[in-house]
Amino acid sequence: MLLNLLFWTSLFLLITNGERGFYGNQYGEWNDSQLQPTIQKLMKGYNRYLRPNFNEGPVEIGMSLDIASIDAISEINMDYTATIFLRQRWRDSRLIFPGNESLSLDGRLVSLLWIPDTFIPDSKRSFLHDVTVENRLIRIFSNGTVLYALRITATIACNMDLTKYPMDRQECTLQLESWGYNLEDVVFYWTRGNDSVKGLDTLRLAQYSVESYYTSVTKAVYETGLYPKLILHFALRRNVLFFILETYVPSTLLVVLSWVSFWISQSSVPARTCIGVTTVLTMTTLMMGARTSLPNANCFIKAIDVYLGICFTFIFGALLEYACAHFCTMQHQTIIDVQRELLKEFEESNGTTHLVSSMSPRKMKTEDSTKQEKPEQTVTCEENEAVEQTKEKGCGLTTVKQMSRRAASMMSVENPHNIDRHARILFPMAFLLINIFYWLYYLLF
């Protein structure tokens, strides 16, 4: 009997102390002596697990942002890291107190109040700053309005289209949603429309400039219901001057350097080969260096890849031009040597060369003027007989020349030095036209 009495007495005291700890004069780590009298009255009977206007309609929560900085924008990971001040306002009728003053509370008193479950859906990593204390602000106004501010650094995903890199324009977003409360419980809105976002106008970035921004209100659709959603849209324009000095100018100069070989004699094989190979290897290194800061994705054929490919094609084409010119020169020289050998063998094996030259019309006229021994018709007949005898014995001198010229025209260029002369004009003109088309396309379209 005594044991039962002690058990029920202990249980009663335990329940009484528990209710007092939840609704009474103790609030977590804060007791009556640490709270102001007004806070004591506000917190008495306050249940932080129930939202304001419970069973009376949704809570309207106003949002505003201050963008302190955008620390990094990564094309490889397709994200950006930003430090923001997030301010949320809502009205809680349970916190109304007389007067026109406002109460600025310690951030640690957040554990005593109901706060929205706002989160950033596209966030990869985020943290709340806590130096020297947690960077939170709680302010309660006399009409029950609560101002809750946070300082957050978050890494947020941003889907980028890099087809025009480095002349691209990226559109990123910062989204705010409610995690557990749907549209029947809470409603989000921007407190001042586009003016709710501050700091983007004065933001200075290394490679980008903020072109424009605007806000929108929408809803997130999930399997569990419809949830409130706020979106900040901002457009970033990349500064192309750095890439012009870092990539475009060196690659263009390498193309111009490869054209120097057109003015070097074709007999200077080491000089022209050295220029061609050096420019090709340097261009390859430049292309590899330009790709280090970009994602290794085959779905993006970037503008800088197109330009580097054009430059590499022209440099490699200059090397091939010398190979073709040198080959044609050697082939032409070979044909000339073969022709000389044929003529020499023909002169040695057949004496018709002397016959044809002695029976030429010019010499026959000289003989007619001096000796006048034979008539003109007799000379012509004898000449025709001599030519016929030459044809019967073998190929005549004229036939050898025609065949050799025909073979030379089919297998080689008549003057290989004309290849370099044409290349001096065609290569720069083609490169200039392609550059005009390239820059007009990527800057205007």
Side-chain angles (χ1 to χ4, degrees):
M1 192 68 182
L2 182 60
L3 291 176
N4 290 334
L5 181 62
L6 292 174
F7 172 77
W8 289 109
T9 303
S10 301
L11 182 61
F12 175 78
L13 292 175
L14 181 62
I15 294 174
T16 304
N17 291 335
E19 290 180 354
R20 177 172 178 159
F22 190 80
Y23 297 104
N25 296 330
Q26 281 192 332
Y27 312 97
E29 299 178 355
W30 302 85
N31 52 38
D32 294 345
S33 61
Q34 294 174 306
L35 297 174
Q36 297 179 5
T38 305
I39 301 300
Q40 292 179 0
K41 295 178 182 179
L42 293 176
M43 293 296 103
K44 189 172 184 179
Y46 185 89
N47 188 355
R48 64 188 179 96
Y49 298 106
L50 295 179
R51 65 172 179 84
N53 302 335
F54 188 72
N55 291 331
E56 296 180 4
V59 183
E60 295 183 354
I61 302 174
M63 301 280 187
S64 63
L65 291 174
D66 274 1
I67 309 297
S69 65
I70 295 180
D71 305 320
I73 300 176
S74 174
E75 290 84 7
I76 297 178
N77 300 321
M78 290 196 178
D79 56 29
Y80 67 94
T81 302
T83 299
I84 62 175
F85 294 92
L86 174 61
R87 297 183 179 92
Q88 305 176 79
R89 294 173 180 267
W90 68 92
R91 190 173 181 275
D92 193 343
S93 59
R94 297 171 294 179
L95 300 178
I96 297 176
F97 61 89
N100 296 323
E101 298 180 355
S102 61
L103 299 176
S104 296
L105 307 179
D106 191 290
R108 288 169 289 184
L109 284 175
V110 172
S111 60
L112 303 179
L113 301 174
W114 177 89
I115 57 174
D117 56 352
T118 307
F119 78 105
I120 303 174
D122 292 336
S123 175
K124 297 180 179 180
R125 296 173 299 275
S126 59
F127 64 91
L128 177 68
H129 290 262
D130 55 0
V131 179
T132 58
V133 294
E134 288 188 349
N135 296 171
R136 301 187 187 206
L137 169 67
I138 291 289
R139 186 172 295 168
I140 303 176
F141 296 89
S142 59
N143 61 351
T145 300
V146 181
L147 171 63
Y148 179 45
L150 299 168
R151 180 169 175 248
I152 304 171
T153 294
T155 301
I156 304 169
C158 177
N159 295 325
M160 299 182 181
D161 183 8
L162 299 175
T163 53
K164 290 189 176 182
Y165 177 92
M167 292 164 283
D168 54 334
R169 178 180 180 271
Q170 304 299 336
E171 293 187 1
C172 298
T173 60
L174 195 157
Q175 304 178 23
L176 300 173
E177 293 183 16
S178 175
W179 175 256
Y181 295 106
N182 56 27
L183 287 173
E184 297 178 356
D185 298 320
V186 296
V187 174
F188 286 174
Y189 68 95
W190 295 105
T191 55
R192 296 181 299 276
N194 291 339
D195 294 333
S196 302
V197 180
K198 302 292 184 182
L200 283 177
D201 296 331
T202 59
L203 204 60
R204 294 293 179 267
L205 303 176
Q207 292 188 14
Y208 293 89
S209 58
V210 180
E211 195 174 54
S212 61
Y213 67 92
Y214 65 94
T215 59
S216 64
V217 180
T218 182
K219 57 186 177 182
V221 181
Y222 296 102
E223 185 179 356
T224 54
L226 303 178
Y227 296 85
K229 184 176 183 178
L230 299 181
I231 305 177
L232 166 64
H233 308 262
F234 58 95
L236 300 173
R237 172 73 67 178
R238 194 185 303 273
N239 301 322
V240 74
L241 180 60
F242 168 79
F243 297 93
I244 291 177
L245 298 177
E246 186 76 12
T247 305
Y248 284 92
V249 171
S251 59
T252 304
L253 292 179
L254 283 175
V255 175
V256 175
L257 179 61
S258 66
W259 298 341
V260 175
S261 62
F262 300 154
W263 278 266
I264 300 177
S265 174
Q266 292 184 6
S267 59
S268 302
V269 178
R272 296 192 65 164
T273 305
C274 181
I275 290 178
V277 173
T278 302
T279 51
V280 168
L281 294 178
T282 307
M283 193 67 207
T284 304
T285 305
L286 190 64
M287 294 175 66
M288 294 176 62
R291 284 180 165 272
T292 54
S293 60
L294 297 175
N296 296 323
N298 295 327
C299 57
F300 290 116
I301 300 177
K302 298 169 283 296
I304 195 170
D305 294 336
V306 174
Y307 192 82
L308 293 176
I310 292 171
C311 294
F312 185 83
T313 302
F314 273 88
I315 292 174
F316 194 74
L319 183 61
L320 291 181
E321 183 274 342
Y322 173 63
C324 294
H326 185 68
F327 174 79
C328 292
T329 302
M330 299 300 296
Q331 199 75 6
H332 185 73
Q333 187 65 34
T334 303
I335 295 297
I336 293 175
D337 294 341
V338 170
Q339 184 178 357
R340 288 176 180 175
E341 291 179 0
L342 287 174
L343 290 174
K344 187 176 180 181
E345 291 179 0
F346 182 79
E347 291 176 356
E348 292 177 354
S349 62
N350 196 349
T352 58
T353 304
H354 178 70
L355 179 61
V356 173
S357 61
S358 64
M359 301 302 292
S360 61
R362 185 177 299 174
K363 192 168 183 180
M364 290 299 296
K365 288 181 182 180
T366 306
E367 292 178 355
D368 288 340
S369 62
T370 55
K371 296 182 180 181
Q372 297 181 356
E373 292 179 354
K374 296 181 181 180
E376 187 177 354
Q377 294 179 354
T378 306
V379 174
T380 306
C381 292
E382 291 180 357
E383 183 181 355
N384 292 335
E385 290 177 0
V387 172
E388 289 178 359
Q389 290 177 1
T390 305
K391 289 182 179 180
E392 290 177 358
K393 291 182 179 179
C395 294
L397 179 60
T398 306
T399 307
V400 173
K401 288 183 178 181
Q402 290 178 355
M403 292 181 63
S404 60
R405 287 175 183 174
R406 204 172 292 168
S409 63
M410 293 177 60
M411 301 182 63
S412 66
V413 181
E414 185 175 352
N415 188 0
H417 294 283
N418 288 335
I419 298 178
D420 284 343
R421 294 192 185 98
H422 295 323
R424 294 171 191 172
I425 300 174
L426 293 178
F427 272 73
M429 290 298 296
F431 188 69
L432 180 61
L433 291 176
I434 291 176
N435 266 270
I436 293 174
F437 177 78
Y438 173 87
W439 290 104
L440 287 177
Y441 176 78
Y442 282 106
L443 289 178
L444 300 181
F445 299 100

